[in-house]
């Protein structure tokens, strides 16, 4: 590892950097006369870079050496493939998640679940706990919503992706969810990230709407540091200056993330677009940029949806998006995963 220290760093600060290096088992030596370039020889660990960055005298880590953070793709490291029920994300596999923004009534949920299952979804999305901008908006049905999701899995064989908002709810949501979703508003909630990381369930981590790519990766690091190995990142658009679209889908971030991390990356064109007619083109763009999957809001009667109806696509449009996905994935020999689970055999948790 190679550190650059600030010019004129006082002696006591240099001493504390050297003491930390010693604690980590490094042999340290300065490469220049002005004691600015500090070379550390020894076995790097994921936590070392952040610890040195926190030292007042460290200006930059010029070379992390083998002190890779857990999310980082080491040279030549293949994609991590995250399995969730029948879904596979990464390593040339593309999986589609679809469903309503919020779990509404059971009949509606089953209707949407059957419709998306028939045309290519492998996982069903739907919020039982909804993070809303206004406290007076529909907040989701909570535990009742989780029961509806469990029934939808039993009926369709689709695995369940649903959001958890509160660290105290992780255990109960994880009983039903095949994949725990951390929403954009929760990306910096580190107690929640830690709890979800310790749950053993796969995690869908959405990028905060004003989070940098580095902040997203460090949020993933919180989950990975708690023992999770199954984290999927989601680009869902960041806030821009123009209200034409709800958010700006950062396809550059998708392409970049596919290089710097071994974790799978998916896109959410629904929350990026904010308008149903833009979801299909954005879905195409995200997949073409290298995304390993998509999460799409689908509703059978968008006008009656209790949240985000304006961005929900019909099952027919979702079917077209799923067809596009097959064609776009084939361009670089990737496969869109199909549902295998026998519907009759899939009881609660059967698809995990
Ligand atoms: C969602 O996917 O249900 C959601 C609320 O999205 P986001 O957290 O990206 O706003
Ligand atoms: Mn939504």
């Amino acid at each position: 590892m190679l550190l650059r220290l600030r010019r004129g760093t006082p002696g006591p600060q240099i001493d504390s950097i050297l003491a930390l290096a010693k604690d980590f088992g490094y042999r340290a030596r300065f490469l220049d006369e002005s004691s600015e370039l500090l070379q550390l020889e020894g076995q790097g660990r994921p936590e070392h870079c952040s610890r040195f960055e926190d030292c007042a005298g460290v200006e930059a880590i010029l070379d992390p050496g083998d002190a890779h953070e857990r999310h980082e793709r080491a040279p030549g490291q293949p994609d991590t493939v995250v399995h969730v029920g029948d879904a596979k994300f990464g390593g040339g596999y593309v999986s589609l998640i679809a469903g309503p923004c919020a779990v509404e009534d059971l009949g509606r949920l089953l209707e949407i679940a059957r419709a998306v299952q028939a045309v290519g979804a492998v996982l069903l999305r739907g919020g039982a706990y909804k993070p809303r901008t206004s406290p007076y908006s529909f907040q989701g049905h909570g535990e009742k919503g989780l029961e509806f999701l469990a029934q939808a899995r039993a009926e369709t064989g689709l695995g369940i992706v649903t959001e958890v908002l509160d660290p105290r709810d992780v255990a109960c949501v994880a009983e039903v969810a095949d994949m725990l979703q951390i929403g954009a508003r929760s990306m910096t909630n580190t107690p929640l990230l830690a709890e979800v990381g310790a749950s053993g369930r796969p995690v869908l981590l959405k990028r905060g709407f004003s989070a940098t790519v580095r902040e997203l990766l460090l949020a993933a690091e919180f989950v990975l540091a708690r023992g999770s190995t199954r984290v999927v990142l989601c680009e869902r658009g960041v806030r821009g200056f123009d209200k034409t679209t709800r958010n700006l889908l950062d396809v550059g971030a998708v392409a970049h993330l596919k290089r710097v991390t071994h974790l799978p990356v998916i896109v959410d064109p629904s929350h990026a677009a904010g308008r149903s007619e833009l979801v299909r083109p954005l879905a195409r763009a995200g997949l073409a940029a290298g995304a390993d999957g998509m999460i799409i809001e689908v509703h059978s009667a968008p006008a009656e949806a209790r949240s985000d109806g304006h961005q929900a696509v019909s099952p027919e449009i979702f079917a077209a998006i799923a067809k596009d996905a097959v064609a776009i994935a084939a361009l670089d020999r990737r496969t869109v995963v199909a549902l295998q689970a026998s519907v009759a055999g899939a009881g609660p948790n059967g698809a995990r």
Side-chain angles (χ1 to χ4, degrees):
M1 181 182 290
L2 185 61
L3 311 183
R4 185 176 32 232
L5 307 195
R6 286 180 209 287
R7 182 163 298 176
T9 298
Q13 280 184 20
I14 293 185
D15 289 345
S16 66
I17 293 165
L18 294 175
L20 185 61
K22 193 170 172 213
D23 274 359
F24 288 152
Y26 289 108
R27 267 174 292 111
R29 71 186 174 103
F30 284 103
L31 299 182
D32 59 339
E33 282 185 4
S34 50
S35 300
E36 284 171 30
L37 288 175
L38 181 62
Q39 187 176 55
L40 303 178
E41 281 172 10
Q43 184 63 52
R45 296 266 316 142
E47 59 273 23
H48 291 177
C49 286
S50 295
R51 291 291 300 280
F52 284 117
E53 272 167 357
D54 283 342
C55 294
V58 174
E59 186 166 87
I61 295 178
L62 298 178
D63 179 0
D66 60 356
H68 298 294
E69 288 168 339
R70 290 169 170 83
H71 66 264
E72 255 180 82
R73 191 194 285 278
Q77 184 179 354
D79 282 6
T80 289
V81 182
V82 171
H83 296 246
V84 185
D86 286 341
K88 285 186 258 184
F89 299 93
Y93 293 107
V94 169
S95 294
L96 306 183
I97 308 169
C101 177
V103 176
E104 298 167 354
D105 60 87
L106 179 61
R108 181 74 80 196
L109 181 68
L110 291 177
E111 177 184 43
I112 298 169
R114 289 190 196 108
V116 298
Q117 187 247 30
V119 294
V122 275
L123 297 172
L124 176 67
R125 62 148 292 142
Y129 296 90
K130 290 304 303 172
R132 302 306 301 278
T133 303
S134 164
Y136 310 118
S137 301
F138 176 53
Q139 308 290 312
H141 288 308
E143 283 188 33
K144 192 89 209 138
L146 294 176
E147 282 170 31
F148 293 166
L149 286 167
Q151 288 192 47
R153 177 179 42 220
E155 289 245 354
T156 62
L158 294 168
I160 301 298
V161 183
T162 195
E163 178 159 355
V164 58
L165 276 168
D166 187 324
R168 293 167 296 188
D169 293 334
V170 169
C172 95
V173 177
E175 274 183 33
V176 167
D178 295 277
M179 182 176 223
L180 293 169
Q181 179 175 326
I182 303 278
R185 288 158 194 79
S186 300
M187 193 207 83
T188 52
N189 182 343
T190 52
L192 180 64
L193 296 170
E195 200 63 30
V196 159
S199 73
R201 282 268 169 274
V203 179
L204 179 62
L205 177 62
K206 301 189 88 175
R207 179 181 181 184
F209 29 65
S210 56
T212 63
V213 167
R214 174 76 180 143
E215 286 163 346
L216 171 64
L217 289 169
L218 286 176
E221 195 73 13
F222 267 96
V223 181
L224 298 168
R226 290 301 295 263
S228 176
T229 53
R230 296 185 287 171
V231 178
V232 175
L233 305 174
C234 180
E235 165 55 39
R236 44 79 75 206
V238 289
R239 216 162 241 185
F241 60 88
D242 186 348
K243 294 270 178 288
T244 306
T245 55
R246 185 175 180 186
N247 291 289
L248 294 172
L249 185 68
D250 188 353
V251 286
V254 174
H256 170 79
L257 284 165
K258 286 302 299 171
R259 297 174 69 85
V260 300
T261 176
H262 56 91
L263 299 172
V265 182
I266 70 168
V267 289
D268 173 348
S270 306
H271 288 88
R275 287 157 49 194
S276 58
E277 70 275 21
L278 301 185
V279 171
R280 185 176 175 191
L282 290 193
R284 289 178 168 197
L287 214 53
D292 301 300
M294 289 188 270
I295 179 166
I296 303 213
E297 288 189 345
V298 180
H299 204 287
S300 46
E304 294 164 29
R306 296 193 68 177
S307 62
D308 283 350
H310 35 278
Q311 68 195 34
V313 296
S314 63
E316 293 72 29
I317 298 289
F318 175 67
I321 291 171
K323 270 199 180 153
D324 291 345
V326 172
I328 295 167
L331 289 175
D332 37 22
R333 297 208 186 94
R334 296 187 293 159
T335 307
V336 178
V337 174
L339 191 67
Q340 305 289 323
S342 113
V343 174
N349 308 343
R352 287 172 191 184

